[in-house]
Amino acid sequence: MTSADEFVLQLLTDKGLLEESAIETARAKVNESEHDGSEDTATLEALVADQSVTQQQIAEVLADEFNMETVNLADVRVSAEALEVVPFEIANRYKVIPLEVDDSEAELAVFDPLDMDAIDSISHVIKRSITCRVAPLEEIDKAIHQYYEGAKAGAVDDIFSGIEDPDAAPSQIDLPSGEDASEEEAPIIKYVHMVISEALKRRASDIHMEPLEKRFRVRYRIDGVLHEVENPPKRLQPSIVSRIKLMSNVSIAEKRVPQDGRININVGAKIIDLRVSTLPTAFGESIVMRILDKESLSLGLPQLGFFSDDQAVFEKIIALPDGVFLVTGPTGSGKSTTLYSALNCINHPDRKIITVEDPVEYEMPGVNQVQVRRDVGMTFSAALRSMLRQAPNIIMVGEIRDKETAEIAINAALTGHMVFSTLHTNDAPSAVSRLIDIGIKPFLVAAAVRAVLAQRLVRRNCPNCRVPFEHDEKLLNSLGIRSDQITDASFMKGEGCLKCNGTGFRGRVGVFEMFQVNEELQSMIYEEASLVALRDKAREMGMRNMREDGIRKIIGGITTPQEVLHATVSDSI
């Protein structure tokens, strides 16, 4: 029941159905045992279990208080049309049974007429006004089992057609806390869990569920590439969307605006977070579930794609006592993973690290992580101001988006803090121009910025099936690979196997461009030198661009020429 259970206890007492002594005895029993939920809810359950009061009496008292009728569900025959209007997902979630429905109204048997939020949500979902009659919870549970069991059995075959063992799929993952995976579990629930389980099995980073005009498309993003999988029937789209929204604790009644939520699931010994985003489209709500695996936090720098020389430079920069270190690139280029790995590398007991993120994607032990909440005024800039009073050694700002955030980050760096953050620019030297464009004075940029790392992700050759291949002269020329580099090259490509699902690739690796700011470049930034001049000077001092770093990885057999050509551009463009 709801938080109104105290009100129910008072009603029962006022009606003479309960003695205060019985309530106190039940509360004492509850306090002696572990229980979930509120104390009043557990007390009411204990009173029912002790037969101090019956669920029928509770239903009658509530009906009388709110001028409603009770209903004996044993005398009711629910029509197939009513079951279709109120699907199992809604009936089981809110403990209701449809009694009668028409085009504009639905009459429901409910056990908790005080839960107006639930009634309002159901009204929005089924697009009908609702009238309620009260029934005991045990009768509603029995009716749900009776009326929906056949419908579920028939729907399972439809949903899981073509899948060898549909019943095995959900058992691969544990349900989110508060769920009960009983034999009465709805087929929609099984389908959603199967989709998540299969995504984890195939190492997907995102699950995309997209409503199109005549179908409901499901795709997995694996190693940065979207792969379409078998689509569920279009008619099941509303139920699947509602199920995911319920799991992620967002409103199923609100379909007009985007919403964000989270799902936590256990996969064996691992805890996986799914960040859920909904977006209203012309044909329904599009859902993207981003899979956040905490194991990626423990990636070492070589696993990110650094060669030993680049790794040495990177480690030297992140160990600096102050300054700004920026990671740049488009969305999905691995910036967050790089910064988390850097923090993991320098996270020692003698250092205080605070991050401000939107949202907090991964929870890191030993790190103070702050969640941006614009609705209450907790913006990046507001959080940053407060963070500085916490005397941190290292600060990570999820993203520098505006002048105010940039100014506070720069000032923090100039007052003895090491600041990590991200920017959206095409290459590393452009970060300097970007900071100046949003209003930071050139002399402050010159004094604070220590280095900028630009990166892209390319797919890594599958180690299980990669084989040498004959290089294509035209392709190598288009990349700018010289003939002297080919002599010692080890060109490899994956043939495709079960471990990589026939793609030839397994995992991704970064290609990097490290722009280090020394005294000469500081002078040029202070004098507002052009972006071209900054890039030329950095190249003259030994900076490799992303295309050249990608070429090193091609020659080392880590990836293919096509991947680098697709992900990077040459300086001549």
Side-chain angles (χ1 to χ4, degrees):
M1 295 183 75
T2 68
S3 58
D5 290 318
E6 183 178 358
F7 174 71
V8 175
L9 290 172
Q10 188 62 50
L11 269 182
L12 293 168
T13 306
D14 293 344
K15 296 286 185 182
L17 296 173
L18 271 181
E19 297 290 339
E20 287 286 352
S21 58
I23 296 176
E24 292 304 321
T25 302
R27 280 186 171 143
K29 287 183 180 179
V30 168
N31 290 332
E32 290 173 4
S33 61
E34 295 183 1
H35 62 89
D36 296 324
S38 71
E39 181 181 321
D40 290 318
T41 300
T43 301
L44 200 53
E45 290 171 355
L47 289 165
V48 171
D50 290 344
Q51 298 183 344
S52 298
V53 67
T54 66
Q55 291 188 355
Q56 181 65 41
Q57 288 174 313
I58 295 172
E60 289 173 355
V61 166
L62 287 171
D64 181 62
E65 179 70 17
F66 293 99
N67 198 24
M68 292 179 177
E69 295 180 4
T70 58
V71 59
N72 184 355
L73 292 179
D75 298 336
V76 173
R77 292 294 174 266
V78 181
S79 67
E81 180 189 1
L83 295 174
E84 189 173 337
V85 170
V86 182
F88 172 83
E89 180 70 27
I90 300 300
N92 192 52
R93 172 75 176 187
Y94 295 111
K95 300 302 180 187
V96 299
I97 283 290
L99 302 174
E100 293 183 14
V101 298
D102 58 29
D103 292 339
S104 60
E105 190 174 357
E107 185 178 49
L108 304 180
V110 303
F111 88 100
D112 186 5
L114 295 171
D115 193 353
M116 298 308 297
D117 287 340
I119 295 168
D120 186 52
S121 293
I122 297 169
S123 177
H124 276 82
V125 170
I126 67 176
K127 297 181 173 62
R128 289 165 173 82
S129 61
I130 289 176
T131 57
C132 295
R133 297 171 72 181
V134 184
L137 177 59
E138 58 193 6
E139 286 191 20
I140 290 178
D141 279 331
K142 183 178 178 181
I144 289 172
H145 178 84
Q146 174 187 345
Y147 288 111
Y148 288 97
E149 190 62 33
K152 287 189 296 172
V156 169
D157 292 336
D158 292 339
I159 296 172
F160 293 102
S161 58
I163 299 175
E164 292 181 7
D165 188 13
D167 290 330
S171 65
Q172 297 174 29
I173 62 177
D174 293 339
L175 304 179
S177 57
E179 301 271 0
D180 183 16
S182 67
E183 292 181 0
E184 298 178 13
E185 195 174 24
I188 298 298
I189 296 176
K190 290 186 178 181
Y191 174 74
V192 170
H193 292 169
M194 183 274 293
V195 168
I196 296 173
S197 178
E198 184 64 19
L200 295 172
K201 181 180 175 182
R202 296 177 63 174
R203 303 177 299 101
S205 59
D206 305 280
I207 304 169
H208 295 250
M209 293 184 162
E210 302 156 317
L212 306 179
E213 184 177 7
K214 295 183 179 178
R215 62 194 180 106
F216 188 41
R217 182 169 66 180
V218 179
R219 296 190 288 177
Y220 297 150
R221 188 182 297 279
I222 304 170
D223 295 334
V225 178
L226 285 168
H227 299 268
E228 188 166 347
V229 297
E230 185 177 353
N231 300 327
K234 176 71 174 176
R235 63 185 173 81
L236 297 175
Q237 175 184 316
S239 298
I240 293 171
V241 170
S242 292
R243 172 60 190 166
I244 294 169
K245 291 173 75 174
L246 288 170
M247 290 174 69
S248 51
N249 291 319
V250 300
S251 171
I252 62 173
E254 183 56 78
K255 299 181 180 180
R256 300 163 298 174
V257 297
Q259 297 185 83
D260 295 302
R262 294 183 85 107
I263 300 172
N264 293 313
I265 57 174
N266 296 323
V267 184
K270 292 199 305 182
I271 298 177
I272 301 291
D273 286 343
L274 289 92
R275 201 173 81 203
V276 181
S277 170
T278 72
L279 180 70
T281 70
F283 301 109
E285 289 180 281
S286 173
I287 287 187
V288 175
M289 291 181 277
R290 185 174 183 190
I291 299 170
L292 305 174
D293 185 355
K294 290 184 173 66
E295 283 195 353
S296 62
L297 286 181
S298 58
L299 283 178
L301 301 183
Q303 284 73 41
L304 291 176
F306 286 108
F307 287 119
S308 56
D309 53 346
D310 290 334
Q311 182 176 331
V313 172
F314 185 82
E315 289 177 342
K316 182 184 79 173
I317 290 167
I318 63 177
L320 291 172
D322 57 37
V324 174
F325 173 56
L326 298 170
V327 181
T328 76
T331 302
S333 60
K335 301 186 298 295
S336 295
T337 300
T338 298
L339 282 183
Y340 276 120
S341 296
L343 290 180
N344 192 56
C345 187
I346 59 176
N347 184 13
H348 302 305
D350 62 338
R351 294 175 179 172
K352 178 158 185 172
I353 303 175
I354 306 181
T355 74
V356 53
E357 306 167 63
D358 182 23
V360 174
E361 292 188 356
Y362 301 97
E363 295 173 1
M364 295 189 70
V367 175
N368 299 276
Q369 295 174 275
V370 179
Q371 169 76 54
V372 167
R373 291 187 60 193
R374 291 180 180 80
D375 56 331
V376 295
M378 178 63 92
T379 61
F380 275 112
S381 53
L384 264 171
R385 286 194 195 92
S386 298
M387 284 163 58
L388 293 176
R389 291 193 288 272
Q390 295 279 314
N393 301 105
I394 298 157
I395 296 169
M396 188 188 92
V397 185
E399 183 183 345
I400 291 178
R401 301 181 180 182
D402 52 42
K403 180 182 178 182
E404 189 176 14
T405 305
E407 283 180 339
I408 298 169
I410 293 287
N411 288 333
L414 294 175
T415 53
H417 304 86
M418 188 65 194
V419 180
F420 295 162
S421 191
T422 67
L423 270 181
H424 288 286
T425 63
N426 287 331
D427 60 12
S430 298
V432 172
S433 301
R434 173 70 179 143
L435 289 173
I436 294 172
D437 286 344
I438 64 176
I440 305 301
K441 301 293 185 184
F443 74 90
L444 291 174
V445 176
V449 175
R450 296 286 180 262
V452 182
L453 178 74
Q455 68 178 66
R456 300 289 187 277
L457 293 176
V458 296
R459 290 184 290 176
R460 187 193 295 265
N461 287 327
C462 175
N464 189 59
C465 65
R466 65 176 188 171
V467 294
F469 78 99
E470 286 294 325
H471 60 270
D472 183 334
E473 290 284 352
K474 289 183 179 178
L475 187 59
L476 298 187
N477 287 336
S478 65
L479 280 165
I481 298 179
R482 304 185 307 272
S483 56
D484 62 306
Q485 293 175 298
I486 297 174
T487 308
D488 298 322
S490 175
F491 296 110
M492 307 286 282
K493 68 181 294 185
E495 288 187 314
C497 64
L498 290 175
K499 287 192 175 180
C500 62
N501 293 314
T503 62
F505 299 100
R506 186 173 175 85
R508 289 189 288 175
V509 65
V511 290
F512 304 103
E513 174 179 287
M514 182 67 82
F515 175 75
Q516 297 182 73
V517 179
N518 59 12
E519 290 183 2
E520 198 168 348
L521 283 169
Q522 279 183 331
S523 299
M524 293 179 68
I525 295 169
Y526 180 79
E527 294 166 3
E528 299 186 51
S530 69
L531 176 60
V532 173
L534 288 174
R535 185 184 292 113
D536 288 345
K537 174 56 68 175
R539 300 274 285 145
E540 181 185 313
M541 295 166 56
M543 182 186 81
R544 274 189 298 270
N545 62 26
M546 286 179 282
R547 172 66 60 86
E548 290 168 335
D549 190 49
I551 289 170
R552 296 174 80 195
K553 291 176 170 68
I554 294 169
I555 292 171
I558 296 171
T559 189
T560 64
Q562 290 87 346
E563 283 292 303
V564 174
L565 198 61
H566 175 74
T568 64
V569 297
S570 66
D571 280 348
S572 59
I573 294 178

